[in-house]
């Protein structure tokens, strides 16, 4: 028997009954469950893309837990948009305003000093 080990998959990061929830909200909510957030909005051909990349060392139990967490987030999103839109709550840094953070940001790149 040949076993195929897939490395990654892409989910569409929104729920039909939760119009205000986006891929970024789901990623930030995953942090509250101790799950590293996935890559967002890539590939760009998938609306609200979540690129999930479990490593080959993840156990079946860890993958099953991820599925249950995603189901929980889907249920929360359908009834509690304000709650999901303010996540994460448990990391030391809460929800960062990405737009405000980018204003006036002047990165110093290596070798440019």
């Amino acid at each position: 028997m040949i076993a195929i080990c897939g490395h990654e998959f892409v989910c569409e990061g929104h729920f039909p009954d939760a119009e205000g929830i986006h891929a970024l909200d789901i990623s930030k909510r995953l942090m509250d469950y101790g799950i590293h957030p996935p890559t967002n909005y890539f590939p760009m051909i998938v609306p609200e893309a979540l690129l999930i990349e479990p490593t080959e060392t993840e156990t079946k139990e860890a993958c099953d837990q991820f599925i249950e967490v995603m189901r929980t987030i889907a249920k929360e999103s359908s009834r509690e948009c304000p709650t999901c839109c303010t996540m994460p709550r448990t990391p030391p840094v809460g929800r960062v305003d990405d737009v405000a953070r980018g204003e006036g940001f002047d990165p110093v790149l290596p070798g440019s000093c």
Side-chain angles (χ1 to χ4, degrees):
M1 182 170 105
I2 298 174
I4 298 174
C5 179
H7 173 69
E8 60 192 31
F9 62 95
V10 178
C11 295
E12 196 170 316
H14 71 86
F15 306 109
D17 56 344
E19 289 299 318
I21 302 296
H22 301 281
L24 188 60
D25 301 313
I26 296 167
S27 289
K28 289 180 184 276
R29 183 67 174 128
L30 285 168
M31 291 191 291
D32 284 332
Y33 288 95
I35 297 174
H36 190 277
T39 302
N40 285 74
Y41 307 118
F42 181 82
M44 296 187 330
I45 60 171
V46 177
E48 296 288 327
L50 291 168
L51 178 60
I52 312 296
E53 302 178 86
T55 64
E56 288 79 7
T57 59
E58 291 294 342
T59 63
K60 181 182 181 315
E61 291 78 20
C63 293
D64 289 343
Q65 179 195 11
F66 176 81
I67 292 167
E68 285 306 311
V69 167
M70 290 296 281
R71 287 180 176 153
T72 301
I73 293 171
K75 288 176 190 171
E76 292 172 349
S77 299
S78 66
R79 64 178 187 270
E80 302 178 36
C81 179
T83 300
C84 284
C85 292
T86 60
M87 298 302 168
R89 291 186 178 169
T90 57
V93 175
R95 189 163 185 110
V96 176
D97 183 339
D98 296 323
V99 174
R101 174 64 186 103
E103 292 175 356
F105 181 64
D106 186 21
V108 177
L109 302 175
S112 65
C113 297

